[in-house]
Amino acid sequence: MSLVEVSDLTIAFGAQRAVNGVSFAIAPGERFGLVGESGSGKTLTALAIAGLLPEAARRQGDIRFDGAPLPDDETAMARLRGKRIGMVFQEPMTALNPLMRVRRQIGEALALTGAGGDIGALLTEVGLEPRHAARYPHQLSGGQRQRVMIAMALASAPDILIADEPTSALDLITQATVLDLIERLCERRDMALMFISHDLKAVARLCTRIAVLKAGEIVETGATGEVFGAPRANYTKRLVAAARMDLPQVEHEPTDVVLVETKGLTRRFRQPGRWPLPGKPLAAVDRVDLAIRAGESVALVGPSGCGKTTLARMLVGLDRPSAGGIRFAGRAYDPNDPAIRRDLSLVFQDPFSSFDPRMSVGRSIAEPLRLLPAMDGASRERHLTEAVEAVGLSPDMLARYPHEFSGGQRQRLAIARALVTRPKFLVLDEPVSALDLSVRAEVLALLTRLQAEFGLTYLVISHDLDMVAAIADRVLVMQAGKIVEEGRPGELFVHPRHEMTRALVAARLPEVG
């Protein structure tokens, strides 16, 4: 008998159907994956099983748990969810209470389920030391917060764990650690898993059977190896091709001219100490020497907290070095020099938060043109139009606001804003980490085309080695604020020398199909 059985599930908001006629079953102890792009209905399906749909949602169809229909009574549903269904949400920082210590949050989960349990033992089971119980969420890393969420979900010894994108915001090594942890817990507890993700490699790593959702409907289902190895639906074929990073090859040739150079670049931050003694300074970036040639695409990889973003912020003038220097195009870098500033641009990791929601995207994209005060109105309009058309969008969209665009469109607009001053050097901070597979492939293909057309120089910050291998001429590996290894991706990822590079390569998930 199935543990969870979903029959003809439909979820609507008014006249709009977000999930339409979805049916599947999960057996006890089975690891089942639900894949698809944003808006396909994955999370809503999971919330329906857990009885957590928003009030505005109207549900039709049948959901049975262990042979019985889900209870209509909210108290009975909460009791079932608390005791037999564990839920791990996508973003642990927002799911955890920032004002409560870990001990109290796990203790609440134990009390609500009526289950006995030891908080220290739960933390140990998910790979944390019991001392972490005294910390607040902001005092933990992303991987540690995700482990706390898993510990809370395990508090009632559930029959099924529903994990919604549990690794999407994690670096490569932490992602592999969390996937290993989930697999180990499922085997040890004989617990079923419903794993929701748009990362096909993570799904292939964990799940024995999958269903592929598109626009609220299942287009394909079956054993994971069969679906990814020989997909039947065109949609699944596109997802698998995008996961393999099959990008069109566009020729570009770096020059011998060094565009960006650093010597002994260092950024220290003062850590909090105990009064009256100050804390010891932390070197987030520690004596970094690098040289990036004009027309080159350089990738900076490493675990979270190693100093990648701090280094990038100094290169574009958003942070000042504590020591060392930067040279741009052969001269000392002055962040207040408009002639240099207009040749540098940064594409932020999250395109939505990088736009002012109260400003039209046209105003936001035009803002960097203030670095060109001599430009007349006609030239401004021409620059704006050319930047938007270069990323494949229409100037007619410029009057809209950020919330009126999809994630892929917002990322294209962020790239257009970076291009509007016609810079020479672009820093791209995790430019595709928040995007669906097919959109990610489109944006990466766009970046390679723009580099060839405009002669751009890239510094790409990422923890996705497959993306790095597809786009980078050279890779820099960072650990604890230092560059510890560098080389061409084809050589570096095959024959890594430094222990950090070996750890990153070992954490890389295998290809799907």
Side-chain angles (χ1 to χ4, degrees), residues 191-400:
M191 180 175 60
L193 173 69
M194 182 176 176
F195 187 76
I196 299 168
S197 183
H198 63 251
D199 186 343
L200 301 196
K201 294 182 180 182
V203 173
R205 166 72 177 77
L206 269 185
C207 301
T208 55
R209 193 166 58 88
I210 63 169
V212 182
L213 268 177
K214 177 189 178 186
E217 298 182 356
I218 291 181
V219 298
E220 191 162 356
T221 187
T224 305
E226 294 175 2
V227 173
F228 288 160
R232 299 185 303 274
N234 289 333
Y235 178 70
T236 313
K237 291 176 182 177
R238 290 200 301 272
L239 290 181
V240 171
R244 291 172 179 163
M245 293 285 182
D246 296 332
L247 298 179
Q249 296 300 310
V250 181
E251 293 296 327
H252 73 280
E253 189 64 35
T255 70
D256 293 328
V257 177
V258 175
L259 182 66
V260 180
E261 184 178 19
T262 72
K263 293 289 186 182
L265 194 64
T266 301
R267 181 65 171 99
R268 299 186 185 93
F269 293 97
R270 179 69 65 181
Q271 298 186 93
R274 291 189 176 183
W275 188 89
L277 298 176
K280 294 181 179 179
L282 169 70
V285 174
D286 190 7
R287 293 168 291 178
V288 166
D289 297 337
L290 63 84
I292 300 174
R293 295 176 295 155
E296 191 177 19
S297 180
V298 176
L300 188 61
V301 303
S304 297
C306 70
K308 303 187 298 294
T309 297
T310 302
L311 174 59
R313 287 176 61 84
M314 287 190 288
L315 291 179
V316 296
L318 295 180
D319 200 356
R320 290 184 176 274
S322 303
I326 305 171
R327 294 184 68 81
F328 184 81
R331 56 181 173 172
Y333 176 64
D334 178 3
N336 296 316
D337 183 350
I340 291 180
R341 289 298 299 272
R342 65 174 174 250
D343 281 335
L344 307 169
S345 282
L346 173 64
V347 177
F348 293 92
Q349 181 172 355
D350 180 1
F352 189 70
S353 63
S354 70
F355 280 99
D356 188 330
R358 295 165 296 182
M359 290 172 57
S360 68
V361 295
R363 283 186 59 195
S364 291
I365 294 173
E367 271 199 306
L369 293 176
R370 290 184 299 181
L371 294 169
L372 305 169
M375 181 178 290
D376 59 29
S379 297
R380 288 171 61 87
E381 287 299 318
R382 187 172 63 254
H383 271 63
L384 191 57
T385 299
E386 289 177 356
V388 173
E389 289 179 341
V391 299
L393 296 177
S394 169
D396 297 338
M397 297 177 171
L398 293 174
R400 300 183 194 172

